[in-house]
Amino acid sequence: MANHFRLLLIITLLFIIVFSTISSPSNGSPLSSSSSSVLSKRLPRFPRHTFKNPTRIQRFRGDGSGYKYETKFFSQQLDHFSFADLPKFSQRYLINSDHWLGASALGPIFLYCGNEGDIEWFATNSGFLWEIAPKFGALLVFPEHRYYGESMPYGSREEAYKNATTLSYLTTEQALADFAVFVTDLKRNLSAEACPVVLFGGSYGGMLAAWMRLKYPHIAIGALASSAPILQFEDIVPPETFYDIVSNDFMRESSSCFNTIKNSWDAIIAEGQKENGLQQLAKTFHFCRVLNSTDDLSDWLDSAYSYLAMVNYPYPANFMMPLPGHPIKEVCRKIDGASSDASILDRIFAGISVYYNYTGDVDCFELDDDPHGLDGWNWQACTEMVMPMSSSEENSMFPAYAFNYSSYKDECWNTFRVNPRPRWVTTELGGHDIETTLKSFGSNIIFSNGLLDPWSGGSVLKNLSNTIVALVTQEGGHHLDLRPSTPEDPKWLVEQREAEIRLIQGWIRTYRLEKEAQFSLLKRSW
């Protein structure tokens, strides 16, 4: 059973590189598949995606029927916080200036904080930015997060992921500094030093957007942080919050569906203990090979249920997998609607097929073919991004377990030869007593969340001041507001986006008025 998430923020069908080439600094040998598998059960996961199935990717096109951008590269420091003579690396970014008003008109710059994956995917799935750019006359830029996509230090993924020494520059602090240096240089090159910058991000990218606004307030005038669990650390929120929300998403659809899933874990173990039980489980769930253990199956199911809760959107979407609208409702319909003589495991397979095989194209499932990737997030989760999670006996449909930091630490050491720093994020970026902190020192941040998203439990869900605003929707999923609009958008989603637009307009209007006042004062002094 997966104790924790394999965590992106992305945010989805993007190029994420499997971690099988990482080696430890102690012996230089590649990370074994068994140690990677064990570690992945302990780590939080944001949505992950890969380009393995290109037919699922909505690619950008230059013919006017899709989003258009230029792909460029920026020479970036490997370590922003020392003066060591280290090699630089090329940070990829996407840029679109079709609607930009220009520097003289103080045209805004909308910067998406790249997540833990290929930046093209995030640009594709951030239709909200593309749709509002004409309204604001905005320049769009999507800088890629270091160590992901094509933004690889040391010249290649193999070298960048070689060991703990080469991976040591994969941190949130370095990534935030990348964005700050990048946009400062971009503005200088465009003679646009006075143009306001607004940050956007979803999931981990949303965390980065909020943190960047707090850490570099002179760089950006505001941030939209969608589904950003900046409180999912230490003892700030109860560790069972995530799994309780996932479970409640299923309970609200069907109590019998919830109970079938809750009872299935024991049924899986019981079947696996029988003679040829693992072979029978592989047959029941249509795997391409025999299971090594029942944990393999439990982890596969756990991931699907968790992702379903994240992307429980009100209309069909392709974010994680091709899925129908309200996919949890469809899963429970399959589980509850199975024939009376169907076993509990047959019911589970019927339901889970909605997630893994809604199109019906898959003949058998490859457990080792993780469509959502692991990549650098395992390293990040073993260093800074320690998000304790557990499963409660009372409210969860998952097997009960408690977060065990000692075990977590041991697995990180065995995999990377590195010890986590569970208190570093809150020391560096805050989190405890967030209401007092943000009310006193923060401004112009929108925290948007849908309560169906299990990550909402670790985010800011109430207004903290006139300018630290929480937009919360009862039916929203994982950063749904950043996705492209559709004719099927419910009224509450349309209203949420309209509120975000009004707030951003207010930030820019205030900024321009202050600039005009400064200019008038300077002019009078002449």
Side-chain angles (χ1 to χ4, degrees):
M1 175 63 196
N3 284 353
H4 287 34
F5 291 97
R6 303 191 246 320
L7 213 17
L8 163 190
L9 4 197
I10 197 228
I11 38 13
T12 319
L13 313 305
L14 49 116
F15 175 73
I16 302 251
I17 304 159
V18 178
F19 232 50
S20 60
T21 59
I22 299 177
S23 58
S24 79
S26 60
N27 56 19
S29 60
L31 173 69
S32 68
S33 60
S34 60
S35 64
S36 177
S37 175
V38 171
L39 179 64
S40 70
K41 296 170 185 284
R42 301 283 181 183
L43 302 182
R45 57 174 164 273
F46 287 132
R48 288 312 203 287
H49 311 277
T50 178
F51 281 143
K52 285 184 178 179
N53 186 350
T55 62
R56 294 181 181 176
I57 307 298
Q58 176 190 348
R59 304 293 282 176
F60 289 105
R61 297 183 298 275
D63 59 3
S65 60
Y67 306 133
K68 296 184 295 182
Y69 60 81
E70 291 182 81
T71 301
K72 297 187 176 183
F73 290 85
F74 177 70
S75 181
Q76 195 66 264
Q77 295 283 347
L78 182 59
D79 184 2
H80 294 284
F81 307 108
S82 80
F83 290 89
D85 186 17
L86 295 170
K88 293 187 176 183
F89 73 96
S90 294
Q91 180 183 21
R92 181 170 57 152
Y93 66 96
L94 315 180
I95 185 167
N96 177 287
S97 60
D98 288 353
H99 304 286
W100 191 39
L101 293 175
S104 61
L106 297 184
I109 298 172
F110 288 175
L111 184 146
Y112 183 93
C113 296
N115 302 45
E116 69 288 20
D118 189 293
I119 193 60
E120 285 191 325
W121 183 86
F122 296 109
T124 306
N125 280 273
S126 300
F128 178 66
L129 276 75
W130 296 89
E131 292 168 7
I132 67 174
K135 177 187 293 288
F136 286 91
L139 175 72
L140 298 181
V141 286
F142 296 82
E144 191 163 56
H145 194 298
R146 58 170 52 202
Y147 285 82
Y148 294 101
E150 296 182 15
S151 299
M152 288 293 165
Y154 300 104
S156 69
R157 175 183 61 85
E158 288 73 21
E159 288 299 313
Y161 285 23
K162 190 174 183 180
N163 53 44
T165 299
T166 57
L167 278 166
S168 64
Y169 303 102
L170 173 50
T171 68
T172 56
E173 297 90 343
Q174 298 284 4
L176 291 173
D178 285 344
F179 297 151
V181 170
F182 160 75
V183 73
T184 300
D185 188 84
L186 177 70
K187 292 174 71 175
R188 184 182 300 114
N189 289 338
L190 296 173
S191 298
E193 289 91 338
C195 291
V197 176
V198 179
L199 306 169
F200 296 80
S203 199
Y204 172 50
M207 299 165 77
L208 293 172
W211 287 335
M212 187 173 174
R213 169 60 185 159
L214 294 171
K215 194 172 181 64
Y216 297 98
H218 57 290
I219 297 292
I221 67 168
L224 170 55
S226 181
S227 299
I230 62 170
L231 306 181
Q232 194 78 42
F233 297 94
E234 288 187 72
D235 56 353
I236 301 175
V237 298
E240 63 272 12
T241 299
F242 184 98
Y243 276 126
D244 280 358
I245 295 176
V246 174
S247 301
N248 186 64
D249 286 354
F250 283 81
M251 174 64 84
R252 70 194 290 271
E253 294 297 346
S254 165
S255 59
S256 60
C257 175
F258 173 98
N259 289 325
T260 299
I261 295 172
K262 189 176 182 69
N263 294 329
S264 68
W265 311 109
D266 287 340
I268 289 170
I269 294 173
E271 183 65 30
Q273 291 174 341
K274 296 178 182 178
E275 184 177 1
N276 298 323
L278 292 178
Q279 290 91 327
Q280 183 57 47
L281 285 172
K283 181 179 179 181
T284 299
F285 286 89
H286 294 204
F287 291 124
C288 301
R289 63 165 177 80
V290 175
L291 296 167
N292 292 323
S293 70
T294 55
D295 282 347
D296 289 347
L297 173 56
S298 295
D299 186 42
W300 187 72
L301 294 170
D302 172 285
S303 295
Y305 297 141
S306 300
Y307 288 132
L308 280 162
M310 290 185 227
V311 297
N312 196 24
Y313 298 147
Y315 52 75
N318 235 13
F319 181 53
M320 293 294 297
M321 299 281 196
L323 291 172
H326 303 286
I328 289 181
K329 183 187 294 291
E330 182 66 13
V331 169
C332 286
R333 188 181 71 82
K334 292 287 188 179
I335 289 176
D336 292 342
S339 62
S340 58
D341 59 345
S343 70
I344 186 171
L345 297 184
D346 288 333
R347 291 174 181 270
I348 293 297
F349 175 73
I352 211 67
S353 293
V354 171
Y355 179 77
Y356 282 114
N357 194 21
Y358 184 64
T359 62
D361 296 334
V362 181
D363 295 324
C364 65
F365 300 106
E366 291 280 3
L367 278 172
D368 296 334
D369 182 19
D370 177 10
H372 311 303
L374 298 177
D375 203 39
W377 190 260
N378 277 355
W379 168 265
Q380 291 189 257
C382 271
T383 50
E384 300 176 307
M385 307 299 286
V386 181
M387 298 180 175
M389 291 186 181
S390 63
S391 178
S392 65
E393 178 69 37
E394 298 79 16
N395 302 317
S396 176
M397 67 182 190
F398 299 91
Y401 67 87
F403 177 70
N404 186 323
Y405 176 70
S406 295
S407 176
Y408 187 101
K409 178 181 177 182
D410 289 345
E411 289 169 6
C412 289
W413 178 258
N414 291 335
T415 304
F416 297 113
R417 291 296 186 265
V418 67
N419 287 316
R421 296 182 186 174
R423 294 182 176 88
W424 178 244
V425 162
T426 54
T427 301
E428 171 74 4
L429 300 164
H432 291 286
D433 195 13
I434 194 72
E435 183 170 355
T436 299
T437 302
L438 292 187
K439 187 181 298 182
S440 301
F441 303 106
S443 65
N444 293 0
I445 302 176
I446 303 168
F447 290 100
S448 61
N449 284 277
L451 296 184
L452 296 185
D453 177 16
W455 290 109
S456 65
S459 188
V460 176
L461 299 179
K462 66 177 183 178
N463 295 348
L464 302 184
S465 70
N466 290 335
T467 62
I468 305 288
V469 178
L471 298 179
V472 181
T473 59
Q474 292 292 325
E475 300 294 317
H478 200 52
H479 50 69
L480 176 60
D481 54 324
L482 291 184
R483 293 182 55 74
S485 62
T486 74
E488 294 81 22
D489 286 344
K491 182 179 178 181
W492 54 262
L493 178 56
V494 174
E495 292 174 346
Q496 179 186 19
R497 289 177 176 143
E498 289 175 346
E500 292 169 352
I501 290 171
R502 287 195 300 272
L503 287 167
I504 296 170
Q505 285 175 329
W507 299 342
I508 295 174
R509 185 183 307 113
T510 299
Y511 174 84
R512 285 174 171 163
L513 288 173
E514 290 174 350
K515 283 295 181 183
E516 290 174 4
Q518 292 172 9
F519 179 76
S520 297
L521 183 62
L522 179 62
K523 189 174 181 180
R524 285 198 300 271
S525 69
W526 294 344

